[in-house]
Amino acid sequence: MLRTLKRYFPSSSLMLAITLAGGPLFINTQTFAQGNLLVTPMRVVFDGKKGLQELNIANTGKDTARYLVSFIEIRMNEDGSFEKISEPDSGQHFASSFVRFFPRSVVLPPNEAQVVKLQLINTSQLDSGEYRSHIYLRAEPNEKALGEDAPASAKEGEGISVRLTPVFGISIPVIIRYGPKTGAVSLSDLNLVTENNGVKLQMVFNRSGNTSVYGDITVDHISSRGKTTRVASVKGMAVYTPTRLRHMQVPLAAKPGINYHSGKLVVVYGTTTDDGTGATLAQAALVLK
């Protein structure tokens, strides 16, 4: 089944199936899927090393599908939600005027893949800072002829039948970084909240500088005797420019022997490279009582 796809998605890449009915989701995996559309990588960053990059898209469904490719602009709110916008906020710069992509539509048979190329353009017009837009890959609905496959209940004289067809799409951030990069982040306002569905750790990410921050979160519980236990991890958490604050809640695991009234919680926000190395972007601790 995946013989053709493996040319584009090597075994080292994870194929993660996600079904969403709404807006964009950003996660730190090699591959990103929604509906029957599989995409890798899940973010594109132009940082001066090269001016041409690629997205690999694949149809994992059973039917031939057509995907439309376009740019959209998105605002990140302080609660981590996203809004589609047409004008940049103060301090925000769109990347869409500086990136050309092709093709603009792709028809893929089942289990086939294709490359979408992204090329940096108009670089002489760039000022120092970060530019961000989101490339949007949307599956075009498969419209059938009028009257084909009509529901059994839609008999003549019984009125009007309505068929809802879900439309799936994936948005991938495309970021240009030009000139000095001064992005930094710190953690504050750590607080433990107990709810009916378990224990959650609240925290605030404080971003500063001219670039977004992006990384993984780990939360470790350190007991009063010094035993360390991993109780939470979140992949691919971003704070995009120009947003300065992002409020977040992380559910904590209910593991045997873990007492959330003693010891402390240590939160690390950092990056990991392909070779397993990384850097800590921010760290904070909460003493439990």
Side-chain angles (χ1 to χ4, degrees), residues 152-196:
S153 60
K155 296 179 181 179
E156 185 177 354
E158 289 189 358
I160 299 175
S161 67
V162 177
R163 182 179 64 192
L164 298 179
T165 302
V167 176
F168 296 100
I170 293 177
S171 65
I172 305 293
V174 177
I175 295 172
I176 304 169
R177 289 175 179 158
Y178 188 78
K181 306 171 185 66
T182 61
V185 63
S186 63
L187 292 168
S188 66
D189 301 280
L190 273 66
N191 183 42
L192 209 61
V193 177
T194 301
E195 299 177 345
N196 293 334

Side-chain angles (χ1 to χ4, degrees), residues 2-272:
L2 295 177
R3 182 176 301 173
T4 303
L5 299 186
K6 286 181 179 178
R7 291 183 298 159
Y8 299 91
F9 299 91
S11 58
S12 60
S13 296
L14 297 177
M15 293 188 179
L16 179 64
I18 298 176
T19 301
L20 282 183
L25 178 68
F26 303 95
I27 50 180
N28 185 23
T29 55
Q30 294 291 331
T31 22
F32 180 28
Q34 184 170 323
N36 293 323
L37 179 61
L38 187 70
V39 180
T40 184
M42 43 64 62
R43 66 198 303 262
V44 174
V45 179
F46 291 95
D47 58 3
K49 296 179 181 179
K50 55 183 179 180
L52 182 66
Q53 301 209 45
E54 296 180 347
L55 283 178
N56 296 301
I57 66 173
N59 175 13
T60 61
K62 298 180 180 180
D63 300 312
T64 296
R66 181 170 185 253
Y67 303 101
L68 304 180
V69 188
S70 62
F71 267 124
I72 60 173
E73 313 298 349
I74 290 176
R75 169 194 297 131
M76 169 177 272
N77 298 315
E78 291 188 359
D79 62 358
S81 61
F82 296 93
E83 292 180 51
K84 186 177 177 182
I85 58 177
S86 57
E87 297 293 332
D89 293 330
S90 176
Q92 183 176 6
H93 308 285
F94 293 158
S96 52
S97 297
F98 304 96
V99 177
R100 177 172 56 197
F101 62 89
F102 49 91
R104 294 182 175 269
S105 67
V106 177
V107 177
L108 289 178
N111 306 319
E112 291 291 330
Q114 182 170 327
V115 169
V116 174
K117 295 182 180 293
L118 295 92
Q119 183 179 20
L120 203 59
I121 59 173
N122 302 327
T123 54
S124 62
Q125 301 176 22
L126 290 170
D127 294 324
S128 292
E130 180 176 285
Y131 299 73
R132 175 177 53 87
S133 295
H134 294 251
I135 199 162
Y136 182 49
L137 301 108
R138 179 174 63 87
E140 190 172 58
N142 182 19
E143 299 293 346
K144 295 186 177 182
L146 206 59
E148 184 180 347
D149 291 337
S153 60
K155 296 179 181 179
E156 185 177 354
E158 289 189 358
I160 299 175
S161 67
V162 177
R163 182 179 64 192
L164 298 179
T165 302
V167 176
F168 296 100
I170 293 177
S171 65
I172 305 293
V174 177
I175 295 172
I176 304 169
R177 289 175 179 158
Y178 188 78
K181 306 171 185 66
T182 61
V185 63
S186 63
L187 292 168
S188 66
D189 301 280
L190 273 66
N191 183 42
L192 209 61
V193 177
T194 301
E195 299 177 345
N196 293 334
N197 56 349
V199 180
K200 296 180 180 180
L201 178 63
Q202 294 179 334
M203 65 190 85
V204 176
F205 290 79
N206 307 273
R207 189 198 62 80
S208 60
N210 66 353
T211 59
S212 303
V213 293
Y214 181 88
D216 303 335
I217 305 168
T218 60
V219 183
D220 290 331
H221 177 267
I222 302 178
S223 71
S224 56
R225 295 184 177 182
K227 180 181 179 181
T228 300
T229 305
R230 179 65 45 85
V231 292
S233 62
V234 178
K235 298 289 188 180
M237 206 291 300
V239 186
Y240 292 118
T241 58
T243 304
R244 293 290 179 182
L245 302 176
R246 178 169 176 179
H247 300 267
M248 191 167 185
Q249 283 192 347
V250 178
L252 303 181
K255 293 185 176 182
I258 299 295
N259 183 357
Y260 288 117
H261 295 286
S262 67
K264 65 179 179 180
L265 294 172
V266 176
V267 183
V268 176
Y269 179 54
T271 60
T272 303

